[in-house]
Amino acid sequence: QKEVEQNSGPLSVPEGAIASLNCTYSDRGSQSFFWYRQYSGKSPELIMFIYSNGDKEDGRFTAQLNKASQYVSLLIRDSQPSDSATYLCAGVNSGYALNFGKGTSLLVTP
Amino acid sequence: DAGVTQSPTHLIKTRGQQVTLRCSPKSGHDTVSWYQQALGQGPQFIFQYYEEEERQRGNFPDRFSGHQFPNYSSELNVNALLLGDSALYLCASSKGAPNYGYTFGSGTRLTVV
């Protein structure tokens, strides 16, 4: 059973809007969560990590973690066409492996 | 500062053959993990090497094996290739525990025919 779930999308938002990407996880032992961006044919690139309940902001990106609801999200403000990519959510439990979701495809339209 | 480097970038093999993929971690990193990413899927964890030992293994058969060298570089070996092994193989490195995430290499695209 997949431990991390994401809506595969595509999620389409207009340029300048807020993109909201969501992820749920089933393993309550997961401690840390990571958001990676992956352009088509390229390798994943780390955007943010979060391990405490609440919000964490970095530039246009905000990660949110709610351990009680087992829910992680990524908000992208002022979305740009260059943000169009697949966004991968991953959790780490007591081990060392990143458990990835399938990813959500984001399309930012001009 | 060199990032994670992988070789080769592309590879075509015949079913039943064996393949070796190589990875050099980012400077200062001592831990190397390997992931398999099929088309349209998220990366799947194969195994992780630390201090030249396999520290954790994912749900992959014994046909998948690896090695880490004293300079922290690593190899992934796959024996008796199946068509289903066709995927992007990603190497990721970190310094110790993954508190701040892993850095991925550009990957090796393996096609089994």
Side-chain angles (χ1 to χ4, degrees), chain A residues 2 32 34 36 38 41-46 49 51 88 92-103, chain B residues 33 35 37 40-45 48 55-56 88 90 97-107 109:
Chain A
K2 195 70 174 175
S32 306
F34 303 85
Y36 282 84
Q38 187 173 29
K42 303 295 185 181
S43 62
E45 171 193 10
L46 181 65
F49 63 90
Y51 43 81
L88 297 162
V92 176
N93 56 20
S94 58
Y96 305 96
L98 286 172
N99 299 311
F100 282 93
K102 291 179 62 174
Chain B
S33 304
Y35 289 81
Q37 187 175 25
Q41 303 293 315
Q44 296 293 309
F45 176 73
Q48 183 181 93
R55 176 155 75 173
Q56 186 177 354
L88 179 66
L90 295 162
N99 294 328
Y100 305 108
Y102 292 100
T103 301
F104 282 85
S106 56
R109 173 70 63 184

Side-chain angles (χ1 to χ4, degrees), chain B residues 28-62:
Chain B
H29 286 186
D30 57 7
T31 302
V32 173
S33 304
W34 287 91
Y35 289 81
Q36 180 197 66
Q37 187 175 25
L39 205 59
Q41 303 293 315
Q44 296 293 309
F45 176 73
I46 303 175
F47 42 54
Q48 183 181 93
Y49 277 85
Y50 174 69
E51 293 187 342
E52 303 180 50
E53 296 287 333
E54 183 183 287
R55 176 155 75 173
Q56 186 177 354
R57 187 179 183 90
N59 188 27
F60 278 80
D62 292 344

